[in-house]
Amino acid sequence: MARYNPKETEPKWRAAWDAAKVFEAGPPAPGKPKYYVLEMFPYPSGRLHMGHVRNYALGDVIARFKRARGFNVLHPMGWDAFGLPAENAAMERGVDPKAWTYDNIARMRSELKELGLSIDWSREFATCDLAYYGQQQAWFLELFKTGLVYRKEGVVNWDPVDQTVLANEQVVDGRGWRSGAVVEKRKLNQWFLRITDYANDLADSLATLDRWPDKVRTMQENWIGRSKGLRFKFNFSDPAPPDFAEGLEVYTTRPDTLYGASFVGVAPDHPLAEQIAAQNPAAAEFIAACRKGGASQAEIDTAEKIGFDTGLTVAHPFDPSWRLPVWIANFILMDYGTGAIFACPAHDQRDLDFARKYGLAVKPVVLPPGEDPATFEVGDEAYTGPGRIFNSQDLDGLDVETAKAAAIAKIEAQDQGQGATVFRLRDWGVARQRGWGCPIPVVHCPACGVVPLPASALPVALPDDLEFGKPGNALERHPTWKHTACPTCGAAALRETDTLDTFVDSSWYFARFTNPDSASPIDKAAADYWLPVDQYVGGIEHAVLHLLYARFVTKALADQGMLSAKEPFAGLFTQGMVTHETYRRQSGEWVEPKDLELYSEGQTRRARLIATGEPLVVGDIEKMSKSKKNTVAPEEIFEVYGVDAARLFVLSDSPPERDTQWSNAGVEGAWRFVNRVWAEVESQPAGPYETGPDDPAADAVRRGSHRLIKAMTEAIESFRFNSGIARLYEFLNLMKEHKAQGASSALLAARAEALSAFARLIAPFTPHLAEECWVQLGQSGLVVDAPWPDFDPALTQDAVVTLPVQVNGKRRGEIQAPAGAEPAEVEKMVLDDPEITRRLEGLTIRKVIVVKDRIVNIVAA
RNA sequence: GCCGCCGUAGCUCAGUGGUAGAGCGCAUCCUUGGUAAGGCUGAGGUCCAGGGUUCGAGUCCCUGCGGUGGCACCA
């Protein structure tokens, strides 16, 4: 009996799949529904890590399963290839970013191919291919024509380490998402995509994405931050300051509490505050103090509310004789709403904190249910719940929602403002001051201004001789590239040297995959056939960034008539990370898993250095990272255990959406499973088998097999791959119970049928092993071309079932009954059973509950 | 502060209102021509705590505790 040898079998089957081109997506075919499976494409860093293995193994299970179920499957792969790491490598090692990137792609491609993924490699492309980014320039110019692309000077987030601008989405806790550097504010001329035009649609259609995790939808909803309210102007009581003759505009979501107004506040960088500061040194000093506050989240959290009374007053819109003081307050944000608010301390915690500190009025106007208007008071906690409006003249007695509408109507009737929807979402700044990216296809002409290039001038290719030896924009530095002629007037002009954010590159690649050779950016017929992606798989870290941009670009391109899909990804699955225990020496140094051995002392797990035997501290389980030295290189695992065992293990241990812990013991368990499967298949003698009388063992194997088919089908459809794999382990135990040696002919036949199904069931997880088993079992063709096995519902349960019998909910015995026995019949059997009746002596039976094929419960007293 | 998720065997985790499960680890034994191994058998459970719904709760509801993730002066 030969041991299973993945080093021999795995390359053999990959070659067989390649030769048969089995994974190339077919043309539309009647009766063969399409299914588009896509994993987030990788950045070509040069090395495959375990996170990639899990991500692509997950997607591959779906793709192979859907193929077996008769779908026309598209499962492509490409490279998110522009971006800073290439420039950093260029700077550190003096290599050419383009060569570095394509070398990495070559290496990672061969590693990914080694994984045995069912990918249609004929569609592969990289975003740094001129054929791709040239088409991106083409649709960028289409959006330019419609006004969705625009340029403005604005305050931007500047990453001082990467020396580039970042979008709001790319600033996390005041730091750059890649570099971790504290982000600075700078005023720059910038290119923007008008994502805010789609804010309502992006928020509304989240409801249609019913195969997305709620968590991601909530995160996008929060990010878009739609709020409905009222925008209106306060008139100044006394002569208005210059520039404010029209009044001071504020935004509120609580117009119902207008009669509880206590003061009006503006942000420290509000134009009014700046105007006052210009003449008032105390105000200027206050504003400077506000700016000194740190930008980090912790500092913002703990920052005390401080204010400055401007001495100005405004008139309450419903009672012009009522004067409200105008304060400058540090808790008001210039970039939300209008940068100015009216404060109702009784019903807003921030306003209340401020009012208590400065002794401003606190007048409740919403009466909580059950409270007495004569005695209700607000202490240190604002009341933000529902209730009846009081102390509010004509609004009295209304509920909160009705009062909001009434107050808005009133303001609108006075022509002082109107109902408004405000978003937290900002337009997407897409220009980056980088050389290794997609050039923005416009020129700057001294006479004509900003001129978009005509289609005939595309693509705008990057030069091959960029110098990346120092920080900054290599494209800007290039001696000749930017010098060109204006396409309108022919005069000397300069090319735009900014390139596009790499999130633009990844915002439409899924559409390009539907026909990567199209002469237009998107082949509409192909896109309309394949889109939306039926199942998208990737990390939760892109919940807002990539997934929001891709949704927006899809909608924008659809509005240009370039495709018809309303959403890019109908189903989204966010997988967890691969983690590993950490180990340190007593001195605190991290130790790599391969340098240590684990052992047990009783129930305690311990670790020691292999080289010296030095005891180690077993630390926390953390995401694999180089800094903690808790990484495991996939290729080393493939070398020892084969690809199938590695794939199986990353899918077996945890539900796919949760983190999974890599361990050597775990992959060894998977490796043993691979060998046991092979041993089981090899021990099965070749058919045909003699006919013989049926036998209970044959029946057990048959029923077990049909139960397994049902369970696996359901497990894959509901992303419970780990549960499905657990069932594979259980079924293998059953097969070992009923082994081939000495088996009856009936059992041999049942085993043969079960093993044939088993080979197809393991194929999505361990595809090479499945092929090897398929051949060994005497089946023809490839298992990837075999249909998914069906199950007979009648065979998914035992002929005779054991029913536990409870008395008053406590287990008191059991009976054997034929499967599917009617409750009345079972009840009779139970009440005839001497063991049960003995338990019921002296009790009166109130009720007998029979759950078919599950349990019997007798309620007695 | 707000919104999630998690808490089940020593560890990592399944578990669909109806008999408490898997892998690894641990123990015993067998095998030593499957051997850088393989196999048999077994022990091990306050299903985080408390309350509720139910004939019946690991599962549904409420409260609390612990862990973890996301969002957050967003008017």
Side-chain angles (χ1 to χ4, degrees), chain A residues 57-254:
Chain A
L58 276 166
D60 200 43
V61 169
I62 308 286
R64 286 177 178 271
F65 174 71
K66 290 291 178 183
R67 264 192 106 248
R69 297 282 268 181
F71 287 83
N72 184 21
V73 171
L74 173 58
H75 186 206
M77 180 61 69
W79 309 96
D80 188 14
F82 274 135
L84 271 177
E87 291 195 33
N88 291 338
M91 213 154 36
E92 287 159 19
R93 284 176 259 165
V95 294
D96 174 47
K98 186 171 175 180
W100 182 86
T101 302
Y102 281 104
D103 282 353
N104 283 349
I105 288 174
R107 195 167 328 135
M108 284 183 74
R109 181 193 298 117
S110 78
E111 287 183 332
L112 274 180
K113 286 192 168 177
E114 202 180 341
L115 260 177
L117 304 170
S118 62
I119 282 176
D120 180 352
W121 286 100
S122 73
R123 293 170 187 254
E124 176 192 359
F125 61 76
T127 56
C128 63
D129 293 345
L130 182 59
Y132 182 81
Y133 71 77
Q135 295 295 344
Q136 182 164 298
Q137 292 167 338
W139 69 249
F140 183 85
L141 290 175
E142 290 302 308
L143 298 194
F144 189 99
K145 284 179 197 159
T146 69
L148 281 176
V149 174
Y150 69 100
R151 189 172 157 82
K152 75 163 186 206
E153 176 163 83
V155 178
V156 298
N157 306 301
W158 179 261
D159 185 319
V161 169
D162 285 346
Q163 299 215 350
T164 189
V165 165
L166 297 176
N168 290 337
E169 289 83 352
Q170 296 159 9
V171 178
V172 180
D173 284 350
R175 291 170 182 273
W177 72 291
R178 273 203 74 260
S179 70
V182 174
V183 166
E184 299 166 4
K185 296 284 178 193
R186 280 203 185 178
K187 270 194 175 171
L188 278 182
N189 253 315
Q190 273 294 298
W191 291 96
F192 289 90
L193 286 182
R194 217 178 282 278
I195 190 171
T196 51
D197 269 16
Y198 288 83
N200 266 318
D201 189 3
L202 288 167
D204 287 340
S205 28
L206 283 172
T208 69
L209 299 175
D210 55 344
R211 290 199 295 121
W212 279 41
D214 289 342
K215 184 177 179 171
V216 175
R217 289 194 288 178
T218 305
M219 285 166 75
Q220 290 214 353
E221 204 173 292
N222 289 342
W223 187 264
I224 296 166
R226 177 165 59 185
S227 73
K228 289 186 174 143
L230 169 68
R231 196 193 286 267
F232 71 100
K233 281 179 175 157
F234 279 102
N235 295 316
F236 284 88
S237 312
D238 303 309
D243 302 341
F244 288 91
E246 297 291 308
L248 176 63
E249 189 171 47
V250 302
Y251 173 75
T252 181
T253 56
R254 293 299 303 270

Side-chain angles (χ1 to χ4, degrees), chain A residues 330-408:
Chain A
N330 66 337
F331 69 92
I332 301 166
L333 307 175
M334 190 56 219
D335 58 4
Y336 185 81
T338 63
I341 62 161
F342 93 83
C344 174
H347 305 292
D348 182 286
Q349 192 60 47
R350 294 154 302 178
D351 298 349
L352 183 62
D353 294 345
F354 192 86
R356 290 291 182 225
K357 176 163 179 179
Y358 292 103
L360 298 161
V362 178
K363 172 180 163 193
V365 290
V366 180
L367 187 67
E371 289 284 347
D372 180 348
T375 58
F376 177 65
E377 277 182 16
V378 167
D380 287 328
E381 199 171 323
Y383 179 72
T384 56
R388 292 272 156 202
I389 304 295
F390 72 128
N391 291 337
S392 296
Q393 303 179 22
D394 49 308
L395 298 182
D396 280 355
L398 300 177
D399 64 67
V400 165
E401 289 311 311
T402 313
K404 280 181 184 173
I408 291 171

Side-chain angles (χ1 to χ4, degrees), chain A residues 595-606:
Chain A
D595 293 332
L596 58 89
E597 60 185 345
L598 293 167
Y599 61 101
S600 301
E601 263 181 29
Q603 292 285 355
T604 312
R605 295 176 62 252
R606 297 197 187 282

